Amino acid sequence: MAENTKTAKLTIDGKEYELPIHSPSAGPDVIDIRKLYAQAGVFTYDPGFTSTASCDSTITFIDGDKGELLHRGYPIDQLASKSHFLEVAFTLLYGYLPSADELEKFESLVTNHTMIHEQMHYFFRGFRRDAHPMATMVGVVGAMSAFYHDSTDINDEHQREVASIRLIAKMPTIAAMAYKYSIGQPFVYPRNDLDYASNFLHMCFAVPAEEYQVNPILARAMDRIFTLHADHEQNASTSTVRLASSSGANPFACIAAGIACLWGPAHGGANQACLEMLREIGTVDRIPEYIARAKDKNDPFRLMGFGHRVYKNFDPRAKVMKESADEVLGLLGIENNPTLQVAKELERIALEDPYFVEKKLYPNVDFYSGIILDAMGFPTSMFTPIFALARTVGWISQWKEQLADPQLKIGRPRQLYLGDTARDYVDIENR
Ligand code: CMC
């Protein structure tokens, strides 16, 4: 961290404390409160971490007011239009755009780790058929530490690298298997002659009974969805991975924790919830009813796919996703898809409504992604597993960065205790 020159002054009961201020390469200054408790005997209070930086990082930067998202400095719209997922994965992991040779080696490495241990097939069979694929993924990814002992030593750099590649390579296989299992079809083995996105589509949609040709339009759209979800700085699931890892837990356990956190409807589960909401609305004339519900303080309903903790402007990923939805549905000849019509009209009405304008609620990445995934043939239950497989590279990049930090400490927040103070135990007959 660069040497700080600025300081902040805090006065408590007339006594002044000086706190260092760190200036980042982009974004607001950060007041360093690490020594505050030792010096002043007080904690800070920030539930939901709305004003707290939990770490320093060089991976991803978001300017929520501008609606800007950079991975290693590269804008997401440029990466989505000019790059592809495995190149973005390399860039996130190693910090720079790979040379042609480096990219070829990386792609070959990932491609050659796509199969999972054959015994894991039996592990799948322990789940109920109707299990949500996210439930299966949390279990199977956590169980990887039982199958890949030789890459669980976090103090061994080589093992960390092997675990990273294994997770990125095997996650599509695991997600596709979770899907196949849920619909009662045989597992489809990965094919090393296909690129990352095409291979995933093949494992999801091929059946042994007939030839399956991957549609290149869908493969490109799939790859773009992976790219748009690859990382998003210190969001809830990434922070979960970092917190789990801070105790020294193995990488598979940490990523399983991230998947569990991602599942919630306020986070990665929003893409499933959003498409279900759009279908429930059904027709454009019912939109005002749902807008009114979203604004009603006594109704817990929220417009799914709208709002973001950090973006107070358009989520740049939503812009690319909307273009992609138009392109994919157009190419598939289903541009009159009623769900897309409802989504576009809902977006138009919400963006003019004072409630959404004043609260700066804009469509987020989940608003249009479900429409594309639906057009591709995925059931809604697969939307969040697809998010999880794409986000794995972000989790891994952040995990590696954290472990390389010489200042790493176990994550251990404090609390504002409001419960009873010490009181004597009362025997049961006297209560
Ligand atoms: N519909 C209606 N009102 C909303 C919405 C929404 N989608 N989102 C926020 N608000 C209101 C909220 O009621 C609050 O109003 P007030 O100030 O009057 O109490 C205000 O806007 C601020 O909301 P908040 O809950 O304090 O904001 P937050 O930063 O804690 O929550 C959020 C961010 C993403 C959880 C929230 O906007 C939300 O629940 N959105 C719907 C779920 C969703 O689409 N999640 C995906 C996020 S992007 C992908 C990802 O990260 O996984």
Side-chain angles (χ1 to χ4, degrees):
M1 213 185 293
E3 206 47 49
N4 50 287
T5 49
K6 291 196 255 177
T7 54
K9 284 194 172 58
L10 176 70
T11 310
I12 305 171
D13 294 335
K15 193 163 177 219
E16 205 169 78
Y17 301 91
E18 205 160 287
L19 302 165
I21 296 182
H22 304 294
S23 294
S25 48
D29 282 351
V30 172
I31 303 171
D32 186 339
I33 57 159
R34 279 176 295 177
K35 297 211 171 83
L36 185 62
Y37 178 60
Q39 289 172 355
V42 293
F43 300 146
T44 55
Y45 180 60
D46 185 20
F49 300 106
T50 54
S51 302
T52 299
S54 60
C55 61
D56 53 80
S57 180
T58 61
I59 301 172
T60 291
F61 173 73
I62 302 173
D63 184 327
D65 295 322
K66 273 208 284 188
E68 179 180 68
L69 168 61
L70 309 176
H71 291 322
R72 301 288 190 182
Y74 301 106
I76 190 66
D77 51 323
Q78 290 184 24
L79 294 174
S81 60
K82 297 184 179 173
S83 183
H84 63 276
F85 179 69
L86 281 186
E87 187 177 60
V88 173
F90 182 102
T91 308
L92 283 168
L93 280 168
Y94 305 111
Y96 61 95
L97 290 172
S99 66
D101 187 41
E102 284 171 320
L103 182 59
E104 196 187 318
K105 284 196 181 116
F106 179 70
E107 288 184 335
S108 154
L109 195 61
V110 171
T111 306
N112 284 295
H113 277 84
T114 47
M115 282 205 303
I116 62 164
H117 194 293
E118 193 62 16
Q119 212 182 335
M120 287 184 88
H121 288 227
Y122 302 107
F123 190 75
F124 271 88
R125 297 185 203 286
F127 289 96
R128 274 175 64 130
R129 281 272 173 220
D130 56 359
H132 193 288
M134 278 301 272
T136 310
M137 281 189 78
V138 175
V140 173
V141 173
M144 283 176 81
S145 41
F147 289 91
Y148 299 103
H149 296 285
D150 58 344
S151 53
T152 51
D153 181 356
I154 58 160
N155 298 314
D156 179 332
E157 202 183 328
H158 175 69
Q159 292 202 24
R160 291 208 297 261
E161 194 61 24
V162 174
S164 307
I165 298 296
R166 278 183 170 152
L167 277 157
I168 295 163
K170 296 183 200 308
M171 204 59 89
T173 315
I174 292 171
M177 287 173 76
Y179 172 51
K180 286 295 197 189
Y181 188 74
S182 72
I183 56 170
Q185 285 188 5
F187 297 138
V188 174
Y189 285 87
R191 262 182 47 192
N192 287 359
D193 60 323
L194 295 175
D195 63 69
Y196 195 82
S198 303
N199 182 43
F200 178 62
L201 292 174
H202 161 76
M203 290 188 291
C204 287
F205 297 122
V207 286
E210 59 189 62
E211 186 75 12
Y212 174 76
Q213 287 295 334
V214 180
N215 180 333
I217 297 163
L218 298 191
R220 175 74 193 119
M222 189 77 259
D223 189 87
R224 195 173 288 164
I225 287 178
F226 290 161
T227 300
L228 292 174
H229 287 91
D231 191 46
H232 214 227
E233 53 119 303
Q234 309 312 320
N235 56 82
S237 57
T238 302
S239 299
T240 301
V241 170
R242 280 186 179 257
L243 196 56
S245 146
S246 75
S247 73
N250 78 66
F252 306 110
C254 296
I255 301 303
I259 297 174
C261 176
L262 185 78
W263 195 358
H267 194 7
N271 53 13
Q272 169 168 357
C274 181
L275 192 80
E276 285 166 1
M277 174 195 78
L278 293 172
R279 282 189 183 143
E280 188 184 306
I281 298 174
T283 47
V284 167
D285 58 300
R286 295 191 63 206
I287 292 174
E289 181 195 325
Y290 283 82
I291 296 266
R293 282 189 62 195
K295 287 157 54 174
D296 182 355
K297 283 268 159 258
N298 300 317
D299 188 331
F301 174 78
R302 283 188 167 197
L303 274 195
M304 300 315 287
F306 256 80
H308 199 275
R309 167 63 60 79
V310 182
Y311 293 119
K312 300 303 165 201
N313 200 326
F314 250 92
D315 178 339
R317 302 167 301 171
K319 279 189 190 163
V320 182
M321 206 66 92
K322 184 179 182 180
E323 284 165 23
S324 205
D326 276 331
E327 189 184 303
V328 172
L329 270 58
L331 289 166
L332 293 175
I334 47 174
E335 57 270 64
N336 290 329
N337 174 308
T339 319
L340 182 62
Q341 307 306 325
V342 170
K344 285 189 170 172
E345 188 58 10
L346 182 62
E347 177 189 313
R348 193 190 65 74
I349 295 175
L351 291 180
E352 285 174 0
D353 189 295
Y355 174 93
F356 291 88
V357 174
E358 278 156 26
K359 293 187 192 300
K360 298 188 177 167
L361 299 170
Y362 291 86
N364 60 48
V365 69
D366 294 319
F367 194 65
Y368 286 104
S369 62
I371 292 171
I372 308 176
L373 293 171
D374 177 54
M376 285 176 162
F378 286 105
T380 52
S381 62
M382 274 305 285
F383 294 1
T384 316
I386 288 169
F387 191 158
L389 95 77
R391 181 55 57 83
T392 296
V393 67
W395 291 329
I396 288 288
S397 305
Q398 305 265 352
W399 169 78
K400 284 181 79 182
E401 180 179 71
Q402 183 187 31
L403 288 182
D405 182 353
Q407 301 193 61
L408 173 62
K409 270 177 174 294
I410 186 166
R412 201 329 184 164
R414 300 294 193 148
Q415 63 172 2
L416 167 61
Y417 178 68
L418 298 173
D420 289 308
T421 50
R423 50 180 171 166
D424 286 328
Y425 177 81
V426 181
D427 291 331
I428 198 154
E429 59 274 15
N430 297 328
R431 286 177 216 161

